[in-house]
Amino acid sequence: MIGKYTHFGVVKMNSRYKTYPEYKNSEIRFLNVIPQHWAISKVRFISSFGRGLGITKANLQDIGIPCVSYGEVHSKYGFEVNPSKHCLKCVDEEYLITSPDSLLAKGDFVFADTSEDIEGSGNFTQLTSNETLFAGYHTVVVRPSSDNYYRFLAYMFDSSEFRSQIRDAVKGVKVFSVTQAILKNTNVWLPTYEEQQKIANFLDHETAKIDTLIVKQEKLIELLKEKRQAVISHAVTKGLNPNAPMKDSGVEWLGEVPEHWVISRAKFLTDFITSGSRGWAEYYSDEGALFFRIANLTRNTIEPKLESIQNVTPPEGKEGGRAKIKKNDLLVSITADLGSICVANKEIENGYVSQHVALCRPNNFVSSARWLGYFFLSDAAKEQLLGSGYGGTKIQLSLEDVKELILVMPNHNEQIDIANFIDKKMAMFLKLSTRAEEQIKLLLERKTALISAAVTGKIDVRDWEES
């Protein structure tokens, strides 16, 4: 017999919210208890199902009827989508006749039926307007009946308790495929329609406030990035002395520079500039020397990015040895995100660079490799490198482009002073950005917890009124 529970297994979020008077065992994995009067069902009993258009990217175009495919579900829109607010690829109007089951109505859900990682399993988007919109390729459509409030269902589908059921069902396979059968058999828990509306209205209001705070933190991070870039660009082109006599550099993207600084090119400040050789993939291994790739570079800092590491065990005398990394070498991307850079430290010393990375070894004119690295990060260098890129869809630089980079060189002591100044500013910006990112993480956790608490009945919001 299913017993009754008073606050059993229920976590109060804080004193603002009360709990239901009685609870019962849900008998659902990942969900302990629910309010006594809530019903248990499955998705198949509250919805009908459809499938997205059987098309590929080649069928999509810039005009026509908007179409949301699995890529948009995973990477762009997440919880809800209104085509008037987002840029979606389109299909011809002929699909209105040939594929009416793939045409969405307000409140319909579009689940991505494949995912590369288990965390993405169960990702969905919901149409929140009355505009004409198709479900695209690799999607499953869930059409809730009018017996339940579609906004409540959206929050329930977004809860960790519901998603955990999906992830458990697809666990153990290489490609995480969310089929109609999996969705149909997933458990749901349902208060009355009026209560569903109350919960959804509460969550709409409260999560909107959280989202506003998140946006503020995101804007702060963007402002810090802009400020960081401005500090770097000013320091390496104008110096640290605001009263220094200036001269016209004669270079548009440099403007005025300190009078005693020297206009030069990268090739005159380096012993050599080279890049890695081809064919390194056959030497990939779990151990051995670091193989430095574009994935290890960023435009945000001159430090190496070591989250994605590849090792190699090259044979003796491998031709790529000419590009073996030494401490203080500059490593610059010459494909993809042009001008991403790092200054080699002990962590990557004795590694090898790929063919997509230029290795620049500073000569005796450079007393601080970090100063030179910061110049490569500056707006002045970025303007030149992007302007030198070529190659149609795959923009890239030649080694000659890197060699011909125009820069302005302070004396040895100023190079060191400028590098130290920027290092301190970068540390400050990093601290502030990290604090903002931590705030975003906490806010997202708060949002997830609030959704979970409301849609599983851990808190009772039936008496809630918007304030």
Side-chain angles (χ1 to χ4, degrees):
M1 177 176 125
I2 298 176
K4 294 183 178 181
Y5 300 84
T6 302
H7 307 320
F8 177 78
V10 177
V11 179
K12 289 186 179 181
M13 297 194 65
N14 58 44
S15 59
R16 287 181 58 194
Y17 305 114
K18 64 182 181 179
T19 57
Y20 285 83
E22 292 183 322
Y23 290 83
K24 64 183 178 182
N25 192 330
S26 73
E27 298 189 343
I28 297 174
R29 191 178 182 191
F30 308 111
L31 178 63
N32 290 329
V33 297
I34 57 173
Q36 177 66 34
H37 64 284
W38 286 20
I40 299 294
S41 187
K42 290 186 181 292
V43 177
R44 67 171 177 265
F45 297 131
I46 66 168
S47 310
S48 60
F49 288 78
R51 184 164 291 281
L53 296 171
I55 60 175
T56 64
K57 291 182 180 180
N59 299 101
L60 300 177
Q61 54 195 37
D62 292 331
I63 58 174
I65 299 175
C67 180
V68 56
S69 298
Y70 81 102
E72 283 78 31
V73 174
H74 277 303
S75 61
K76 294 181 182 177
Y77 308 126
F79 185 48
E80 59 187 42
V81 59
N82 185 327
S84 64
K85 297 180 181 179
H86 300 290
C87 181
L88 294 170
K89 285 291 187 177
C90 304
V91 293
D92 290 328
E93 291 190 3
E94 66 184 58
Y95 286 100
L96 287 170
I97 300 173
T98 59
S99 307
D101 290 342
S102 299
L103 188 64
L104 300 173
K106 183 178 179 179
D108 282 356
F109 296 90
V110 182
F111 282 82
D113 73 358
T114 59
S115 177
E116 293 181 358
D117 63 275
I118 198 165
E119 289 302 311
S121 301
N123 279 9
F124 69 90
T125 187
Q126 183 184 47
L127 181 61
T128 57
S129 73
N130 290 310
E131 298 185 49
T132 303
L133 179 71
F134 272 111
Y137 55 94
H138 284 302
T139 62
V140 176
V141 181
V142 176
R143 295 192 169 94
S145 67
S146 59
D147 295 336
N148 292 288
Y149 187 49
Y150 72 98
R151 292 293 293 165
F152 170 82
L153 294 180
Y155 282 114
M156 183 177 61
F157 288 168
D158 199 37
S159 69
S160 59
E161 290 80 5
F162 184 87
R163 286 178 176 270
S164 292
Q165 295 182 77
I166 299 292
R167 290 165 186 165
D168 188 61
V170 303
K171 189 169 57 178
V173 295
K174 187 174 182 180
V175 177
F176 304 106
S177 181
V178 180
T179 63
Q180 281 195 23
I182 288 174
L183 287 170
K184 287 179 179 179
N185 202 46
T186 305
N187 294 295
V188 292
W189 43 96
L190 304 166
T192 65
Y193 188 91
E194 291 73 19
E195 197 171 344
Q196 290 179 29
Q197 283 186 310
K198 199 75 174 181
I199 292 170
N201 292 340
F202 164 79
L203 287 174
D204 282 346
H205 183 265
E206 294 299 316
T207 59
K209 291 195 295 185
I210 295 174
D211 289 340
T212 297
L213 295 175
I214 290 173
V215 168
K216 288 182 179 179
Q217 293 299 318
E218 290 173 339
K219 287 182 177 178
L220 173 59
I221 291 172
E222 288 304 310
L223 287 173
L224 288 170
K225 287 181 179 179
E226 293 174 7
K227 180 65 175 176
R228 179 185 62 205
Q229 187 64 24
V231 166
I232 292 171
S233 297
H234 186 274
V236 299
T237 58
K238 309 301 179 187
L240 305 180
N241 180 5
N243 300 316
M246 306 294 281
K247 66 180 179 183
D248 184 0
S249 68
V251 181
E252 180 181 355
W253 46 79
L254 284 178
E256 287 194 333
V257 299
E259 194 174 62
H260 62 289
W261 287 16
V262 177
I263 307 299
S264 188
R265 293 184 185 270
K267 62 184 178 183
F268 299 126
L269 304 186
T270 54
D271 285 333
F272 62 86
I273 296 176
T274 187
S275 64
S277 58
R278 300 174 184 270
W280 279 93
E282 60 184 293
Y283 305 117
Y284 282 3
S285 63
D286 295 330
E287 299 177 343
L290 169 73
F291 185 56
F292 201 91
R293 302 172 294 171
I294 286 181
N296 304 119
L297 291 166
T298 173
R299 282 206 64 86
N300 299 325
T301 177
I302 60 173
E303 313 300 337
K305 187 172 72 173
L306 299 176
E307 288 88 353
S308 177
I309 293 296
Q310 178 61 58
N311 297 96
V312 290
T313 307
E316 198 69 33
K318 167 68 179 170
E319 188 265 342
R322 62 184 170 82
K324 195 171 185 177
I325 301 169
K326 289 186 178 181
K327 187 179 177 183
N328 291 327
D329 283 348
L330 266 64
L331 308 178
V332 185
S333 65
I334 52 177
T335 63
D337 188 8
L338 301 184
S340 294
I341 185 171
C342 88
V343 177
N345 56 22
K346 288 183 178 180
E347 290 183 279
I348 64 173
E349 192 174 17
N350 296 320
Y352 298 88
V353 298
S354 81
Q355 69 195 71
H356 305 297
V357 175
L359 184 151
C360 312
R361 184 154 296 158
N363 60 24
N364 292 333
F365 287 114
V366 178
S367 59
S368 171
R370 294 183 69 80
W371 159 77
L372 187 57
Y374 282 128
F375 189 92
F376 269 79
L377 270 189
S378 70
D379 290 337
K382 185 177 180 180
E383 286 285 337
Q384 296 178 70
L385 294 174
L386 291 180
S388 300
Y390 66 92
T393 58
K394 187 177 182 180
I395 299 176
Q396 55 187 320
L397 296 170
S398 67
L399 294 180
E400 196 63 27
D401 293 325
V402 179
K403 292 176 182 178
E404 294 300 321
L405 178 75
I406 299 173
L407 45 76
V408 55
M409 182 178 64
N411 63 43
H412 282 210
N413 289 335
E414 284 180 294
Q415 291 178 29
I416 296 170
D417 290 343
I418 289 170
N420 289 339
F421 170 81
I422 298 176
D423 281 345
K424 290 179 181 178
K425 290 291 186 180
M426 293 287 278
M428 180 191 70
F429 291 135
L430 178 60
K431 183 178 180 179
L432 293 172
S433 295
T434 300
R435 188 180 301 166
E437 288 167 357
E438 289 171 350
Q439 285 297 312
I440 291 173
K441 182 180 178 182
L442 291 172
L443 288 166
L444 289 172
E445 290 174 354
R446 165 72 178 177
K447 182 177 177 179
T448 298
L450 188 65
I451 291 172
S452 175
V455 300
T456 61
K458 290 182 177 69
I459 58 176
D460 183 354
V461 297
R462 288 175 295 180
D463 298 329
W464 174 81
E465 297 292 340
E466 183 177 340
S467 58

